[in-house]
Amino acid sequence: MSPIHTLTELLARLPGLGPRQARRVVQYLLSRDQAYRDTLAKEIQALAARTAQCTRCYRYADATALGLCTTCADGERDQSTLMVVEHDVDIDAIEASLTYAGQYFVLGGLMNMVKQRKEKVIRFKELIRRVNTDVTEVIFALATTPEGDFTAKELSSALSAGGYTGTVSLLGRGLSIGAELEYADPETLRSALKNRG
Ligand SMILES: [Zn+2]
């Protein structure tokens, strides 16, 4: 296959892109100069070489010797609060609100209400393992959608069944229904965090 076809096919697999948009991206790349294409190719390679998944919260971050991201490696942060989010970008949104100084855990998805095969689609077992004796509050900061609420409910039950006796809270409903955390502004997140319950 020609490079145009191969690249179009690869790009079409990206979130939010279909075959039409992928073809437009390829056309755009062809219209740019060689230096831009070289930088792009180099940075994609560097992603794999210099980025690693944090062994504690599971977000992707600059690889460090300890295998921890800067947030998890920060000994000044509160070890007793664990915020469970869906995606890496949610952590950036919460950090930008400057109201939270605890730990994070990236779930990697939400539970499917129909299939309910939780352990296959999200980091279910990893979360149960992560909630150790240091953690006294687990905050579910998931999307305010039926799937988000369902996931929080199922995971809280699983935590209790696993022997967890601490507090479980949900981010305050100041967030509008159907909202994805990553699109919430810092002020909204601050009040949602304050009004958790
Ligand atoms: Zn981490």
Side-chain angles (χ1 to χ4, degrees), residues 3-194:
I4 289 180
H5 276 105
T6 310
L7 190 57
T8 304
E9 212 219 61
L10 286 170
L11 290 170
R13 295 182 206 167
L14 294 177
L17 291 194
R20 275 171 65 98
Q21 292 90 343
R23 272 198 296 278
R24 279 173 59 189
V25 173
V26 171
Q27 284 305 317
Y28 173 75
L29 289 173
L30 288 168
S31 74
R32 291 292 303 257
D33 57 23
Q34 186 62 36
Y36 176 81
R37 286 190 294 270
D38 286 345
T39 307
L40 187 65
K42 213 177 84 216
E43 289 304 321
I44 291 174
Q45 282 178 332
L47 258 189
R50 299 204 309 264
T51 307
Q53 198 165 28
C54 174
T55 54
R56 200 135 193 257
C57 70
Y58 293 93
R59 83 200 282 198
Y60 287 96
D62 290 347
T64 61
L66 290 172
L68 298 177
C69 70
T70 48
T71 313
C72 289
D74 183 352
E76 302 283 295
R77 294 185 72 104
D78 174 21
Q79 303 290 320
S80 68
T81 322
L82 183 72
M83 185 181 285
V84 180
V85 298
E86 187 182 348
H87 303 297
D88 289 23
V89 285
D90 299 330
I91 296 183
D92 301 333
I94 296 282
E95 285 297 290
S97 76
L98 302 171
T99 19
Y100 181 71
Q103 309 296 309
Y104 291 102
F105 184 90
V106 181
L107 211 46
L110 295 178
M111 277 177 64
N112 184 309
M113 292 171 76
V114 183
K115 292 187 189 148
Q116 300 201 10
R117 281 161 46 210
K118 48 188 179 265
E119 63 286 342
K120 289 208 168 58
V121 288
I122 56 172
R123 297 186 187 111
F124 180 77
K125 291 197 192 92
E126 290 86 342
L127 176 65
I128 306 292
R129 268 204 304 271
R130 174 65 183 82
V131 179
N132 52 27
T133 47
D134 292 341
V135 178
T136 55
E137 181 178 7
V138 175
I139 305 169
F140 286 105
L142 304 173
T144 51
T145 58
E147 283 76 20
D149 291 342
F150 178 71
T151 304
K153 210 173 116 238
E154 290 292 309
L155 290 176
S156 333
S157 318
L159 285 174
S160 312
Y164 173 69
T165 52
T167 310
V168 172
S169 51
L170 288 177
L171 217 56
R173 302 284 95 164
L175 295 169
S176 53
I177 300 302
E180 300 260 356
L181 208 66
E182 66 170 298
Y183 302 117
D185 62 274
E187 191 45 54
T188 307
L189 286 174
R190 265 194 289 278
S191 86
L193 195 58
K194 221 174 100 209

